[in-house]
Amino acid sequence: MADQDSQQTSKRRSANYQPTAWNSDFIKSLKNHNVDEKQMQRAEKLKGEEDITTALDRILMSTINGTNLRVDQQISVHATALCFRLCRQHGYEASQDVFQRFKDKSGNFMESLCKDTKGLLSLYEASYLSFEGENLMEEAKVFTNKHLKGIKGKMVDKDLVEQIDHALEMPMHHRVLRLEARWYVEAYGKRKDVNHLLLEMAKLDLNMVQSLLQGELKDMSRWWEDIGLGKKLSFTRDRLVECFFWSVGMVFNPKFSDCRKSLTKLGAIITTIDDVYDIYGYLDELQLFTAAVDRWDIKAVETLPDYMKFSISVPQWVDLCKAFLLEAKWCFEKETPTFKAYLENAVVSASMMLISVHGYFLLTETITKEALEWLEKKESYHPLMECPSLIFRLSNDLATAKVCQLFT
């Protein structure tokens, strides 16, 4: 089988993937911005030197930096929207009715709110944490979007225009919070009403988290180099740094270091297997590989081509490999599935199901019997898993459609 594989190598498809821009030597050269004990003590001291308004701003800063803090009440639209958004973001109940006070007798949002740009921005961001059927929050979204666009053309404050442009381009709830933290610290530093104690604390926190993440990336780079999968399967994408970046986007809180590392490893292996099915493998080889994973028979591995002999020992991979195989079969047989058939398979082939399952076990302190029983069900998927998987799959398809056309 190895000789046959060698003879056919020249006939195999290739995506001509470029080498990674972040090789191991580059990652090793990263210099951590270590924060010493004095700076950490300084950060703790700064937390006690603030009033309620500063505290609310600090909550926003700490939220995008990954720290959980207590939320206090305030009556302005800015503070109300900020508290509402943070409560929902952290899983606490918050009623949309808190915004009724900002409506006039006709049931519309008060026109006086248009003069409060900071309040409009906060209400705009809060509106993106609405639930289905919350009409008041939908009204808030339309109202703030309209007036923020109108205000932008009349303003001379460049820093505030930058904040409005940033928000309208994409709401904070849709952004990667670690990147948002860096942007927000810089934007806050430009404000005329900047609180320098708050800014100093934010920079200290940003540097501490940055140092932690750089250390994690170095660990992952060593792991990837040690297992040598990228070198053995040179036809696949070497995208370790991108996988780490995704894990930071999903699990940004500093305390979840082990989860980020595990999800990085998971993403790197999924990417490799995806390339085997999408680009390199012949259909008969892919069928053998899928059967071996399904049975998880060590002896069956000996029948595989050399490039497929790497370890996959987790039973949950079976569904993913079967979904990859079905897509490969459609490609080899030039079959166009119905949209329904495609979506049913795409829920699994997106890999978000597998990632979510791993994330659950990595983040949950108490594993419930109910959750385990649900994970064993094969006939249906919970909407909490299915919906994000579909969004992930379709977003991926939109981003890669042009590239995929080259191999069809």
Side-chain angles (χ1 to χ4, degrees):
M1 181 64 73
D3 291 339
Q4 181 182 356
D5 181 61
S6 177
Q7 294 173 2
Q8 293 180 337
T9 297
S10 59
K11 301 178 183 179
R12 295 181 185 273
R13 294 179 301 167
S14 172
N16 295 316
Y17 291 126
Q18 298 301 306
T20 177
W22 299 283
N23 57 39
S24 59
D25 290 334
F26 173 78
I27 295 173
K28 290 175 184 176
S29 70
L30 293 176
K31 295 181 180 179
N32 289 21
H33 298 288
N34 292 316
V35 180
D36 59 30
E37 189 65 27
K38 289 184 178 180
Q39 290 175 307
M40 293 179 68
Q41 291 176 358
R42 174 63 175 163
E44 288 298 318
K45 181 181 178 181
L46 289 173
K47 290 180 182 179
E49 300 180 4
E50 58 193 11
D51 56 23
I52 180 62
T53 304
T54 303
L56 287 170
D57 275 332
R58 176 170 63 84
I59 291 168
L60 173 58
M61 195 76 75
S62 64
T63 296
I64 58 181
N65 281 335
T67 308
N68 295 324
L69 298 170
R70 181 173 62 89
V71 180
D72 294 291
Q73 293 183 339
Q74 186 65 292
I75 60 173
S76 71
V77 64
H78 165 63
T80 302
L82 181 59
C83 288
F84 173 89
R85 181 169 63 80
L86 293 176
C87 283
R88 288 210 168 175
Q89 189 171 318
H90 290 282
Y92 296 98
E93 290 187 12
S95 173
Q96 64 172 343
D97 293 338
V98 297
F99 297 107
Q100 287 287 0
R101 71 182 72 172
F102 303 110
K103 285 196 163 188
D104 57 27
K105 294 180 180 179
S106 301
N108 301 315
F109 279 100
M110 300 175 183
E111 287 299 319
S112 58
L113 296 178
C114 300
K115 301 176 183 179
D116 181 6
T117 306
K118 187 176 182 180
L120 282 176
L121 279 169
S122 293
L123 183 56
Y124 169 83
E125 296 288 4
S127 71
Y128 279 89
L129 279 91
S130 62
F131 297 129
E132 186 176 357
E134 289 190 322
N135 295 330
L136 193 154
M137 299 310 298
E138 288 301 316
E139 291 173 18
K141 186 183 297 182
V142 173
F143 175 81
T144 53
N145 193 296
K146 174 185 175 181
H147 288 286
L148 284 173
K149 288 180 179 177
I151 290 173
K152 189 180 68 170
K154 303 174 183 178
M155 296 191 65
V156 294
D157 188 332
K158 293 182 180 180
D159 295 334
L160 201 51
V161 170
E162 180 184 8
Q163 292 180 46
I164 294 173
D165 283 337
H166 187 73
L168 292 176
E169 179 187 37
M170 185 182 294
M172 185 183 296
H173 189 56
H174 293 176
R175 291 183 180 272
V176 177
L177 288 186
R178 288 309 313 158
L179 293 181
E180 186 68 2
R182 175 64 181 270
W183 182 90
Y184 193 86
V185 167
E186 292 183 0
Y188 183 78
K190 299 175 184 177
R191 283 168 47 171
K192 295 178 181 179
D193 61 342
V194 59
N195 182 305
H196 292 286
L197 290 177
L198 174 61
L199 183 62
E200 181 185 354
M201 184 169 64
K203 288 181 178 179
L204 285 171
D205 187 65
L206 191 66
N207 287 336
M208 285 189 286
V209 176
Q210 184 78 355
S211 178
L212 171 68
L213 295 178
Q214 286 181 345
E216 292 174 4
L217 180 57
K218 288 182 178 181
D219 290 342
M220 291 298 90
S221 181
R222 284 190 291 269
W223 165 79
W224 187 244
E225 199 169 19
D226 288 343
I227 66 171
L229 199 57
K231 293 180 179 178
K232 293 176 184 176
L233 308 180
S234 57
F235 57 87
T236 63
R237 291 165 290 174
D238 185 349
R239 298 295 181 263
L240 179 73
V241 175
E242 288 87 339
C243 290
F244 178 73
F245 186 79
W246 294 336
S247 75
V248 173
M250 290 184 283
V251 189
F252 67 91
N253 197 306
K255 69 179 181 179
F256 295 127
S257 178
D258 289 341
C259 182
R260 279 190 295 276
K261 290 181 181 180
S262 296
L263 292 180
T264 299
K265 293 178 181 180
L266 180 66
I269 294 174
I270 289 175
T271 301
T272 299
I273 295 175
D274 186 35
D275 288 341
V276 169
Y277 278 91
D278 276 358
I279 301 296
Y280 197 76
Y282 289 113
L283 186 57
D284 59 337
E285 296 173 343
L286 299 176
Q287 290 170 334
L288 284 172
F289 180 73
T290 306
V293 175
D294 192 9
R295 296 194 307 271
W296 188 237
D297 184 353
I298 289 293
K299 293 181 180 179
V301 175
E302 297 303 318
T303 67
L304 299 175
D306 289 341
Y307 77 91
M308 285 185 168
K309 293 178 181 177
F310 53 91
S311 175
I312 303 176
S313 58
V314 182
Q316 285 84 357
W317 285 88
V318 175
D319 287 345
L320 181 65
C321 289
K322 287 183 177 179
F324 282 167
L325 177 61
L326 181 56
E327 291 179 349
K329 186 177 180 181
W330 288 336
C331 180
F332 276 102
E333 297 179 356
K334 300 188 182 305
E335 177 184 350
T336 302
T338 64
F339 188 59
K340 180 181 178 181
Y342 172 76
L343 287 184
E344 288 176 350
N345 191 67
V347 170
V348 182
S349 69
S351 75
M352 183 51 68
M353 290 281 192
L354 184 61
I355 293 171
S356 298
V357 169
H358 280 74
Y360 171 74
F361 286 105
L362 289 166
L363 293 174
T364 306
E365 295 181 359
T366 304
I367 308 298
T368 66
K369 181 180 179 181
E370 181 184 7
L372 292 175
E373 290 175 348
W374 174 79
L375 290 174
E376 292 177 356
K377 292 182 180 180
K378 296 293 184 181
E379 64 276 6
S380 63
Y381 298 106
H382 194 286
L384 198 59
M385 300 281 279
E386 184 176 16
C387 292
S389 295
L390 280 175
I391 293 172
F392 185 72
R393 174 76 274 168
L394 296 176
S395 297
N396 182 280
D397 289 348
L398 285 171
T400 60
K402 291 183 178 180
V403 176
C404 290
Q405 288 176 357
L406 298 175
F407 303 99
T408 58

